[in-house]
């Protein structure tokens, strides 16, 4: 069994990295064509994907869990004359921001029904004063072949609070002290909290309630 897992991992990691190289090579071909054809200044290129991927972290592959490796998503944009090459931004951006951003950059009005917000101010070098300070995550399914427990949670710039609501278990991580999220600060499934974080938990729970209400997510357990 151990040798089979090692073989599977080697095959998976090589296929995965080979796929990434192919993507990288062909994005290069695309940008080179646009440059040669004189179309670059009038073309916005956005490179993104769905969730990140475990490649051995936590002993797993695939994604779905609300851990850093899986919830981080690549988001790279090229817009000559509007976005300075090589710039980065540490503001919280979500996948629901993708559509409003593209619509805004295309000069079209973003409707209030859309839950995301345009990233355009961030791309142009400013951060709105009321920008989000936390993000919401919800994984809904418990189905083959993954069988990941449904869970939702809130992530701030420092903490991640996760609730596996079908089994009433919680996790809390202080990513400043534990960036790999290897030790939950909840004990006994959430019945006890590390003494240094008793004041943190109620605030995060309130944030979780608030953000679920804002997104009108009534699924899962309250």
């Amino acid at each position: 069994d151990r040798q089979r897992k090692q073989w599977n991992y080697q095959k998976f990691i090589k296929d995965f990295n080979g796929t990434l190289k192919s993507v990288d090579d062909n994005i290069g071909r695309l940008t080179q064509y646009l440059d040669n054809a004189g179309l670059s200044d009038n073309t916005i290129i956005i490179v993104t994907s769905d969730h990140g991927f475990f490649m051995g972290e936590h002993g797993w592959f695939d994604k779905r869990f609300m851990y850093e490796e899986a919830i981080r998503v690549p988001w790279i944009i090229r817009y000559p004359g509007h976005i300075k090459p090589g710039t980065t931004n540490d503001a919280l951006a979500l996948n629901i921001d993708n559509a409003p951003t593209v619509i805004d950059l295309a000069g079209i009005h973003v409707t209030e029904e859309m839950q995301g917000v345009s990233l355009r101010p961030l791309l142009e070098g400013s951060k709105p004063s009321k920008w989000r300070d936390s993000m919401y995550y919800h994984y809904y399914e418990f189905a083959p072949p993954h069988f990941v427990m449904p869970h939702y949670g809130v992530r701030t710039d420092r903490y991640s609070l996760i609730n596996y609501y079908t089994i009433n278990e919680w996790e809390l991580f202080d990513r400043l002290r534990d960036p790999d999220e290897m030790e939950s600060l909840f004990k006994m499934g959430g019945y006890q909290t590390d003494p240094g974080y008793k004041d943190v938990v109620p605030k995060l729970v309130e944030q979780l309630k608030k953000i679920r209400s804002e997104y009108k997510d009534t699924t899962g357990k309250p």
Side-chain angles (χ1 to χ4, degrees):
D1 286 346
R2 182 170 178 271
Q3 289 177 327
R4 178 70 186 186
K5 288 177 181 177
Q6 290 174 331
W7 184 88
N8 284 344
Y9 179 75
Q10 288 299 318
K11 178 167 176 51
F12 164 76
I13 207 73
K14 289 168 184 173
D15 287 348
F16 189 91
N17 288 328
T19 301
L20 289 180
K21 185 179 187 305
S22 176
V23 171
D24 192 44
D25 289 345
N26 285 285
I27 291 171
R29 291 176 62 203
L30 173 63
T31 56
Q32 188 65 56
Y33 171 81
L34 292 170
D35 291 344
N36 294 340
L39 298 171
S40 293
D41 289 344
N42 196 33
T43 304
I44 302 170
I45 298 176
I46 298 174
V47 180
T48 187
S49 74
D50 69 355
H51 287 272
F53 224 85
F54 297 112
M55 291 188 288
E57 299 91 350
H58 301 276
W60 295 330
F61 73 97
D62 204 68
K63 43 194 175 181
R64 300 167 212 285
F65 284 98
M66 189 187 149
Y67 298 140
E68 288 296 290
E69 296 84 3
I71 65 170
R72 287 179 173 268
V73 175
W75 209 95
I76 305 168
I77 183 168
R78 187 177 88 153
Y79 191 8
H82 296 267
I83 300 172
K84 184 179 178 181
T87 59
T88 60
N89 197 299
D90 61 359
L92 282 172
L94 307 179
N95 54 3
I96 57 173
D97 298 333
N98 291 1
T101 301
V102 172
I103 291 172
D104 190 14
L105 291 174
I108 303 170
H109 175 67
V110 179
T111 64
E112 294 181 0
E113 289 82 359
M114 304 192 82
Q115 292 180 325
V117 294
S118 173
L119 302 176
R120 186 171 189 167
L122 302 180
L123 302 176
E124 295 175 346
S126 63
K127 181 179 178 181
S129 58
K130 293 184 179 180
W131 196 260
R132 66 171 68 94
D133 57 8
S134 62
M135 61 160 280
Y136 179 60
Y137 180 87
H138 194 164
Y139 182 75
Y140 299 86
E141 296 181 316
F142 182 71
H146 305 289
F147 294 107
V148 173
M149 285 292 178
H151 58 287
Y152 55 61
V154 61
R155 179 197 183 278
T156 68
D157 61 347
R158 178 171 177 175
Y159 299 106
S160 294
L161 176 72
I162 308 170
N163 178 18
Y164 299 88
Y165 50 83
T166 60
I167 56 175
N168 193 29
E169 289 195 9
W170 295 73
E171 289 181 318
L172 172 66
F173 297 101
D174 180 349
R175 298 189 320 280
L176 181 64
R177 298 184 178 181
D178 179 21
D180 295 326
E181 298 173 312
M182 297 301 293
E183 183 179 359
S184 174
L185 297 167
F186 280 136
K187 312 301 178 186
M188 298 176 63
Y191 289 98
Q192 294 181 7
T193 310
D194 187 289
Y197 295 87
K198 287 185 177 180
D199 294 336
V200 173
V201 175
K203 295 177 182 178
L204 290 172
V205 171
E206 285 305 311
Q207 276 190 287
L208 181 57
K209 290 179 180 178
K210 182 172 181 280
I211 205 166
R212 276 175 55 79
S213 175
E214 288 174 354
Y215 289 135
K216 299 179 174 61
D217 187 2
T218 58
T219 61
K221 292 187 179 180

